[in-house]
Amino acid sequence: MIQTKLSVNINKIATLRNSRGGNIPNVLQAAIDCQRFGAQGITVHPRPDERHIRYSDVREIAPIITTEFNIEGYPSERFLSLIEEVKPHQVTLVPDPPGVLTSNAGWDTYAHLDFLKQVIERIKKTGARVSLFVETNEEDIKGAAEAGADRIELYTEEYARGFLRDPENAVAPYAVCAEIAQSLGLGVNAGHDLNLENLRYFVAEVPYLLEVSIGHALISDALYYGLENTIQMYLRQIALAAEGNGLSR
C-alpha cells in the first residue's frame, strides 16, 4: 500500500517574516522544526520578487533538510541555476507568470513540450526528480510523460471548491487522472487548498497518491493549534484515509 507523504510548504512563514523585516519568525528554524514534528518533506517556492521565500533562504535550508526538499517554481534561468547549485530531491515546475499571487493554473504541456523537455533534461542532470503542476486534463498528463517528467502534481483548487457541495463529484476527475498517470509511469502528487476538512477524503479516494504539499492552510491552522500539533493533525488525516472510509469522522 502506498503511504502518502506530507510535504509542508513554509512560504507563509517567510511572508510573515518579510512583513516586518529581521528574522522573526526564523524560516530556517521552521524548516528544522517541521521535520522534527513529523513532516516528510519541506516545500519552498521562491518567486522572482522574493516576496516570501528568498533565494538565500533556499541556500540555507538545503543543507539541513534530512527528509525531502521540494523546490517549486517557474523554470527561469535564475531558478534553474539555483536548482543546479542546491540539488534538491524534487523540483516541481509551475507555469507561474512573474507577478501571480499564487499558483493558479497547470501547464499546457503540449503547448510547451519542447521547452519542458529541455528544462527537465537539464534538471535531471542534478539528480533531482521532476514533477509538473497540471490540471485534471488527460492530454496534459500525457504531455508530462512525453516531456520526461517523473511525476505530476495535481492542482486541487477545483476539488477544494467543490468538496463541501459534492465531494464525490469533486474528487472523481482526480481519481481518473491518477489512474492515467499511473498507466503512463508517472508518480502522483497533489496540492493547493488542501486542508483538515478535505484532505482525508482526497487521500482516500485518489489512488497512487505519493505526496501532498500543503502550506497556506497548515500554517494558518498552526496559529490556533501550534505547529507541532498541526502537523500531527494533518498526518492523522492521511493515516485515517489509508484506513478507508474517507468521509467518516
Side-chain angles (χ1 to χ4, degrees), residues 103-152:
S103 302
N104 57 14
W107 285 100
D108 181 337
T109 53
Y110 277 115
H112 300 92
L113 188 60
D114 289 341
F115 172 66
L116 289 171
K117 282 182 176 179
Q118 293 173 15
V119 166
I120 290 171
E121 182 180 4
R122 179 173 171 181
I123 292 172
K124 283 189 172 183
K125 290 178 181 177
T126 70
R129 179 172 67 239
V130 181
S131 179
L132 293 185
F133 195 61
V134 298
E135 299 178 46
T136 51
N137 181 304
E138 181 176 352
E139 289 303 304
D140 289 332
I141 296 171
K142 290 179 178 178
E146 193 170 331
D150 301 294
R151 295 188 185 182
I152 56 168

Side-chain angles (χ1 to χ4, degrees), residues 38-51:
Q40 294 128 334
I42 301 296
T43 292
V44 295
H45 187 151
R47 286 190 162 89
D49 61 5
E50 298 188 277
R51 63 180 179 271

Side-chain angles (χ1 to χ4, degrees), residues 198-211:
N198 62 37
L199 176 62
R200 179 176 172 182
Y201 186 66
F202 188 85
V203 175
E205 296 297 320
V206 177
Y208 313 115
L209 187 61
L210 298 171
E211 177 184 296

